[in-house]
Amino acid sequence: MTASAKTSAERAADYGLKPEEYAVILDRLGREPNAVELGVFSVMWSEHCSYKSSRRHLRKFPVTGPRVIQGPGENAGVVDIGDGQACIFKMESHNHPSYIEPYQGAATGVGGIMRDVFTMGARPIALLNALRFGAPEHPKTRRLVEGVVAGIGGYGNCVGVPTVAGETNFHSGYDGNILVNAMCVGLADADKIFYSAAPEPGLPVVYFGSKTGRDGIHGATMASAEFDDASEEKRPTVQVGDPFAEKLLIEATLELMSLGAVAAIQDMGAAGLTSSSVEMAGKGGLGVELNLDAVPQRETGMSAYEMMLSESQERMLAILKPGREADAHRVFEKWGLDAAVIGQTTNTGRIVLHHLGEVVCDLPLGPLSDDAPLYDRPWSEPTKRPVLLAADIAPPSDWSAAVLALMRAPDMASKRWIWEQYDRHVMADTLADSATAADAGIIRVHGTTKALAVTSDCTPRYVEADPYEGGKQAVAEAYRNLSAVGAEPIAITDNLNFGNPERPEIMGQLVRAIDGMAEACAVLAFPVVSGNVSLYNETNGRAIPPTPTVGAVGLLAQSSKRAGFGTLKPDHQMLLIGTTAGWLSASIYLRDLQGREEGAPPPVDLAMEKRHADLVRTLIGQGVLSAVHDLSDGGLIAAAAEMAMASGVGMRLENRSTVPDHAYYFGEDQARFLVGVSPASREAVISACESANVPVTELGEARGDALVISGPHGALCSVALTTLRTAHEAWMPHFMGATA
């Protein structure tokens, strides 16, 4: 059937609109939309732009707090960091594009998230990424890893913003749909934040940046659909990035803002010129009229439909204050950017588009946002997995082999091969990064004694086992990681990656994960200020493991009072802060050493998390903790191995409890920290823990050149640090075909 022969409803279906959604459009317009208008509705009502399946539940998040300047609803969240300064940050996904075209998909994800931040007046100072790939043995995994990592490094390195932290997991659940979540953090003056709402009619609308091409058309729609066997044919919907153009765009945007010429501004991200113009006018309660003939174009014969839906990169849309066109022209000319006045704001409440002498679109803005679908989708309570006790799980037959196997497992192995491709020290303010033994990246606030700590966290196997507890744990671990370096946790951004919400079991995962996250944010006073929802992450009906990634920012008032886990010295006393019950259910030990993906995840006691983390933060500020590492994947033995390798000093630990040895060392109980203290500080730390009602256990001491562990019945293993380091470092280079 030809396009012209299709009914309007069939054309709407081609654009991803459901029959009931198209019926609303017909009712609001009183007529059939033309192709351009249908395209505008399709992207604005896509899952990616409208959050139609999740908006109802996202309202559960606490979004305010004493430091929050701007919560969800703008390009990025804004928090006050004192001294008239603000931190602006957000995390977003580029999952579908990165699977189809890994280099450009990941690169443009980095570019897009930076634009969200500098659009609000902030200079980007740090990048993070959370990557989830398929099983190492899957035939596509190695190529995807290679392309994604090269794309992230290629874009971030060229722009000149350091990539300081992140996480990487491998699991067969991501074989057909990898996740690439990118986060950017920026700095701005708190009284110079820029917003997207158009303030009044009659103001010029200016396009600037790169020219518009045909790349990325219907990218937002693609991001709102499942994959199938033909998905790799969607390469034309993947954008192409130019990091050097992005650098020019950053400088031009910030200079234009400094001149006081900007009334409102929005980057052209998902849905391109459509979303930026509609959102700016709609938020201001105004209208907008554009002349598409004036849009800078890099290809000939582009239609109005193509221009409005193109997602070409490195483009911005600004509304100027009256009479400031000449100032803008000088800035754009200085930085060599294409620019044009392409329209003006109006008081009509409509978007009107002109092209080749004709009106090709005339729509009321209200229905594009106010009437966007809002679903209360049916959901089913996730089935809870039974708790597996230590008695149900076999201990290692060879402890030394088990420790080495744990530290070379794909999720636990060193990711040096990845982060060595990132410039981590450009701008010269990085105090801790992926190469540093610390639980969060740390960036100095230039010219001050302050620093920002940043982290990205999620344990998908916990969320899959119990979305509610897994959601709580993702937030709690972010809080713990910031506290482990001495930073006051301020706020989070999130990236909720799930499968098809039209399936009740998937919608149930999303609902309960949000419930857990919201509760954790409330108890920890850790508000959500920005975020992104990425749904339909599945291929041929198989959904990814639910992955609600949490990006978090904390503040160090004195950057010199920070902690890491690579500073252990011989004779330091080893203490464990927190309670160990020996939770092996849903653990890395159970999955990677026993081959069993079973059991309920560890419960998260939020009051305990806050009490323990707050005490650790206080002790770091007092300078009595020599080394600090939070306990998470792999439990105590993994934290001890990482601390010993990073410090270059061995450790002797003893289980003096009644908990079985394998549960004690490999268990993943939450709210715990491994700390090293000097003999002179030992009593002070123990006394502080007792006064704060925080459990503390003496484990042993740092000495020698091996990790030596024992239990009530004697020695369990002794692994030389050189052997441990070889196992830890070798897996990733071997997998990627490089030399270990």
Side-chain angles (χ1 to χ4, degrees), residues 426-641:
V426 64
M427 302 178 78
D429 281 319
T430 303
L431 299 177
D433 60 61
S434 303
T436 311
D439 286 313
I442 305 175
I443 315 97
R444 177 173 37 226
V445 177
H446 198 76
T448 76
T449 62
K450 297 181 297 191
L452 293 172
V454 294
T455 184
S456 168
D457 294 290
C458 182
T459 309
R461 70 180 185 282
Y462 290 173
V463 188
E464 188 162 40
D466 184 337
Y468 172 71
E469 287 295 334
K472 284 165 60 179
Q473 193 273 341
V475 175
E477 187 173 353
Y479 192 91
R480 203 184 310 144
N481 279 329
L482 295 178
S483 298
V485 300
E488 171 203 349
I490 295 178
I492 73 168
T493 182
D494 60 61
N495 206 148
L496 307 180
N497 307 274
F498 290 82
N500 184 346
E502 298 170 50
R503 294 165 54 194
E505 66 274 20
I506 300 299
M507 194 65 204
Q509 292 177 342
L510 176 63
V511 170
R512 294 301 283 149
I514 289 175
D515 288 343
M517 295 173 70
E519 182 180 335
C521 289
V523 173
L524 299 174
F526 209 18
V528 179
V529 296
S530 60
N532 172 240
V533 177
S534 176
L535 304 179
Y536 296 94
N537 287 291
E538 53 185 75
T539 299
N540 293 328
R542 185 191 181 197
I544 60 162
T547 312
T549 309
V550 171
V553 171
L555 177 65
L556 281 153
Q558 296 291 329
S559 62
S560 60
K561 294 184 177 181
R562 63 184 188 272
F565 56 85
T567 48
L568 196 64
K569 303 295 183 186
D571 298 326
H572 278 188
Q573 305 299 295
M574 304 309 303
L575 305 177
L576 178 62
I577 293 176
T579 301
T580 299
W583 194 280
L584 285 172
S585 187
S587 66
I588 283 275
Y589 173 82
L590 184 65
R591 187 189 72 183
D592 289 2
L593 274 67
Q594 299 290 322
R596 299 169 60 185
E597 292 196 54
E598 302 173 47
V604 179
D605 183 325
L606 293 168
M608 183 186 295
E609 290 280 1
K610 189 172 193 315
R611 188 167 63 253
H612 295 187
D614 291 356
L615 174 64
V616 167
R617 205 162 58 246
T618 298
L619 294 173
I620 291 172
Q622 293 172 351
V624 294
L625 300 184
S626 302
V628 183
H629 198 1
D630 90 303
L631 270 63
S632 53
D633 284 352
L636 172 59
I637 197 67

Side-chain angles (χ1 to χ4, degrees), residues 201-256:
L203 299 181
V205 177
V206 176
Y207 170 119
F208 65 99
S210 297
K211 288 183 170 69
T212 293
R214 291 188 171 96
D215 53 318
I217 293 174
H218 264 298
T221 307
M222 177 193 70
S224 306
E226 298 176 36
F227 277 163
D228 55 30
D229 292 331
S231 290
E232 292 195 43
E233 298 173 6
K234 296 181 179 179
R235 280 194 173 85
T237 62
V238 177
Q239 310 92 326
V240 177
D242 180 350
F244 300 105
E246 181 97 344
K247 176 61 175 172
L248 299 175
L249 194 62
I250 292 172
E251 301 304 331
T253 301
L254 296 179
E255 182 171 336
L256 188 65

Side-chain angles (χ1 to χ4, degrees), residues 106-409:
T108 52
V110 173
I113 197 61
M114 281 197 286
R115 286 193 297 281
D116 280 336
V117 166
F118 72 75
T119 295
M120 297 197 68
R123 179 171 292 281
I125 62 166
L127 294 167
L128 298 81
N129 54 74
L131 311 177
R132 323 283 175 183
F133 297 105
E137 59 271 17
H138 190 274
K140 291 183 179 178
T141 299
R142 180 176 159 181
R143 178 185 67 85
L144 291 169
V145 172
E146 188 171 48
V148 165
V149 172
I152 292 170
Y155 204 100
N157 296 354
C158 290
V159 174
V161 178
T163 300
V164 300
E167 54 182 338
T168 304
N169 294 139
F170 296 86
H171 190 274
S172 60
Y174 303 105
D175 283 351
N177 198 126
I178 65 173
L179 302 185
V180 176
N181 297 168
M183 178 175 168
C184 181
V185 180
L187 279 176
D189 291 337
D191 61 350
K192 295 176 184 175
I193 308 300
F194 290 81
Y195 299 95
S196 57
E200 60 183 90
L203 299 181
V205 177
V206 176
Y207 170 119
F208 65 99
S210 297
K211 288 183 170 69
T212 293
R214 291 188 171 96
D215 53 318
I217 293 174
H218 264 298
T221 307
M222 177 193 70
S224 306
E226 298 176 36
F227 277 163
D228 55 30
D229 292 331
S231 290
E232 292 195 43
E233 298 173 6
K234 296 181 179 179
R235 280 194 173 85
T237 62
V238 177
Q239 310 92 326
V240 177
D242 180 350
F244 300 105
E246 181 97 344
K247 176 61 175 172
L248 299 175
L249 194 62
I250 292 172
E251 301 304 331
T253 301
L254 296 179
E255 182 171 336
L256 188 65
M257 290 170 168
S258 72
L259 296 176
V262 176
I265 190 165
Q266 175 83 31
D267 75 300
M268 291 190 226
L273 187 53
T274 293
S275 64
S276 56
S277 58
V278 167
E279 289 176 9
M280 292 176 81
K283 286 179 181 178
L286 301 174
V288 65
E289 192 162 353
L290 304 180
N291 174 19
L292 299 183
D293 298 336
V295 171
Q297 302 162 53
R298 71 167 183 260
E299 299 184 49
T300 59
M302 290 192 72
S303 67
Y305 174 90
E306 290 172 325
M307 279 186 275
M308 290 303 293
L309 272 67
S310 167
E311 293 184 10
S312 294
Q313 296 292 284
E314 295 87 38
R315 301 181 301 157
M316 304 285 283
L317 200 63
I319 295 172
L320 300 182
K321 293 179 180 178
R324 303 305 296 268
E325 292 92 335
D327 291 330
H329 177 75
R330 284 192 295 272
V331 171
F332 302 143
E333 189 173 58
K334 170 184 175 180
W335 293 102
L337 297 177
D338 287 292
V341 176
I342 65 169
Q344 64 178 1
T345 57
T346 69
N347 60 4
T348 64
R350 305 182 74 84
I351 178 171
V352 179
L353 307 177
H354 299 266
H355 183 51
L356 300 177
E358 296 183 4
V359 174
V360 295
C361 174
D362 186 350
L363 293 174
L365 287 171
L368 290 172
S369 55
D370 299 343
D371 290 333
L374 175 58
Y375 293 123
D376 186 5
R377 295 199 184 278
W379 61 277
S380 56
E381 185 71 37
T383 302
K384 291 190 176 182
R385 298 179 182 177
V387 175
L388 298 181
L389 302 177
D392 302 322
I393 299 168
S397 56
D398 181 330
W399 274 80
S400 294
V403 171
L404 293 173
L406 177 77
M407 300 311 294
R408 71 163 67 95

